[in-house]
Amino acid sequence: MGRMRYSRSMTAQGTKSQPITISADDVENEIARLFGDPAQSGLVIRVQGGEDSVDGRSAAFHDLLESLRLYDFQKSEQELRVAPPDNDTIASALAVLARTRLKRRLFERVLLTFGKRIVEPLGRILDTTPGGALFGRMGQIRDNLLGWIQDLKLTHETQEILTEDLHKLLSDDYLAMLAEHEENVQRPRVTELAQQILHLIGVTFDHAFRQWPHHAKTIADSISRRMGSSMSLRESPVVIRERIIDGIDEFLWIETSTELSGALAQLFAQPQYQGLLGDQVPALQRPTYRKFAEACWEIIAENC
């Protein structure tokens, strides 16, 4: 953003005043002085008004700076405290997630966040490269067999014959061929299972977000209780962000985790999918919900 000029036509004495030049850096420096580094707090400032002209935008920024300087608490020994946003304001911000035009983006984040966590282990099944998981496990079995041969305490000649034959049978090329064959057999099942998992995730979260405007009021009440009656002006951007993320995280965990975990357990128990991951069926984890709640905050901050 270039430097913008704000000018008043006349002073009180009737003479023209000097143009007041305000740049984006001026605004950013003042905000950083009052609230700390926006890059760390996640603070977003939007100035409404005068968007149609350079002078109008400059005037809006000038008014913003004048307003911010009213809160020059750095000159006072007492920390300035402000009231947190009320329930209606928080609920209105949360309701952004119910906007039709944002639904596609929201569910892209749902599927990417939860899908990656649950589907990723399936991808390792198909990793048949020389450094892949399946090839590595086969090589480990071969190495264990060679170790067990040494434990037999055979004569040197017998041990040498057995070891050479085992190396010939279980060569790297042979193991790679077996891994490739396994991939060809497993890929259709794994691909189908991944699609089923994404479908379950989509259906479960669609149900939670279908009544989101109503849920937003419930979450807002919970967030308001955690914020208390006042907060530090400097810390307010971080506090508001964290409390909203906490509220979304907690609500979606309660609303979806039990249902989704049960549906996934039933899916993996189906005969065609049994044994794909052994006993290690991917489980939902709370940090995954936190990551998605942070993505929700990004959407809210950009569209509120």
Side-chain angles (χ1 to χ4, degrees):
M1 180 185 297
R3 299 183 67 85
M4 297 185 294
R5 302 176 65 84
Y6 169 68
S7 60
R8 294 172 181 159
S9 59
M10 301 289 289
T11 64
Q13 288 75 25
T15 59
K16 289 187 176 181
S17 63
Q18 293 297 320
I20 300 173
T21 302
I22 299 172
S23 70
D25 288 341
D26 294 328
V27 176
E28 291 176 2
N29 290 337
E30 184 68 10
I31 290 171
R33 185 182 69 82
L34 288 168
F35 297 98
D37 185 0
Q40 297 179 358
S41 66
L43 176 67
V44 176
I45 295 289
R46 290 190 177 90
V47 181
Q48 305 293 338
E51 296 91 344
D52 296 333
S53 67
V54 172
D55 285 343
R57 288 193 296 272
S58 184
F61 276 114
H62 180 270
D63 291 342
L64 170 65
L65 292 182
E66 290 300 315
S67 298
L68 290 175
R69 289 186 181 115
L70 294 176
Y71 296 100
D72 196 357
F73 57 88
Q74 289 188 340
K75 295 180 181 179
S76 173
E77 294 181 0
Q78 185 176 6
E79 179 186 50
L80 182 66
R81 299 189 67 82
V82 295
D86 58 27
N87 289 24
D88 290 341
T89 301
I90 298 173
S92 177
L94 290 169
V96 164
L97 298 178
R99 293 181 183 175
T100 302
R101 67 181 180 84
L102 297 175
K103 186 174 181 179
R104 180 183 178 87
R105 181 181 172 189
L106 180 68
F107 274 81
E108 283 178 348
R109 298 304 295 266
V110 169
L111 296 176
L112 285 173
T113 304
F114 289 89
K116 182 178 180 181
R117 169 68 185 84
I118 301 172
V119 174
E120 203 169 56
L122 299 176
R124 290 194 286 269
I125 294 175
L126 301 179
D127 187 0
T128 60
T129 62
L134 180 59
F135 185 90
R137 291 199 303 273
M138 289 181 174
Q140 186 176 21
I141 292 173
R142 178 185 60 192
D143 294 340
N144 289 339
L145 287 173
L146 293 171
W148 294 336
I149 290 173
Q150 292 180 352
D151 292 340
L152 292 175
K153 305 300 181 184
L154 301 172
T155 63
H156 176 73
E157 292 79 5
T158 303
Q159 180 173 318
E160 189 175 56
I161 293 171
L162 188 54
T163 299
E164 287 181 2
D165 288 344
L166 192 59
H167 270 296
K168 290 177 182 178
L169 175 63
L170 300 180
S171 66
D172 285 349
D173 289 342
Y174 181 72
L175 295 182
M177 182 273 292
L178 291 177
E180 183 179 358
H181 180 270
E182 184 67 10
E183 176 189 8
N184 293 335
V185 173
Q186 295 282 37
R187 181 173 292 277
R189 286 203 297 162
V190 171
T191 301
E192 182 183 38
L193 178 57
Q195 292 172 347
Q196 293 282 353
I197 290 172
L198 292 178
H199 176 70
L200 281 178
I201 294 171
V203 168
T204 303
F205 278 87
D206 180 58
H207 179 73
F209 280 103
R210 198 173 298 163
Q211 301 296 325
W212 189 254
H214 171 72
H215 296 326
K217 296 178 181 179
T218 302
I219 300 171
D221 291 340
S222 173
I223 293 171
S224 294
R225 288 193 297 270
R226 295 177 182 179
M227 283 188 182
S229 59
S230 68
M231 62 179 66
S232 162
L233 175 63
R234 176 176 285 273
E235 296 175 358
S236 60
V238 173
V239 172
I240 293 170
R241 175 184 181 274
E242 291 303 304
R243 293 297 175 268
I244 289 179
I245 290 174
D246 289 343
I248 296 173
D249 173 12
E250 181 179 49
F251 175 82
L252 290 176
W253 172 261
I254 295 172
E255 189 75 10
T256 68
S257 62
T258 301
E259 178 183 352
L260 186 54
S261 294
L264 288 171
Q266 291 180 4
L267 181 62
F268 276 89
Q270 293 182 16
Q272 66 269 35
Y273 303 134
Q274 285 182 351
L276 278 179
L277 293 177
D279 296 329
Q280 311 233 338
V281 177
L284 294 175
Q285 295 182 347
R286 190 64 181 268
T288 309
Y289 277 81
R290 178 76 183 185
K291 186 176 181 180
F292 176 63
E294 290 171 352
C296 289
W297 165 259
E298 293 174 8
I299 295 174
I300 291 171
E302 292 174 11
N303 295 276
C304 196

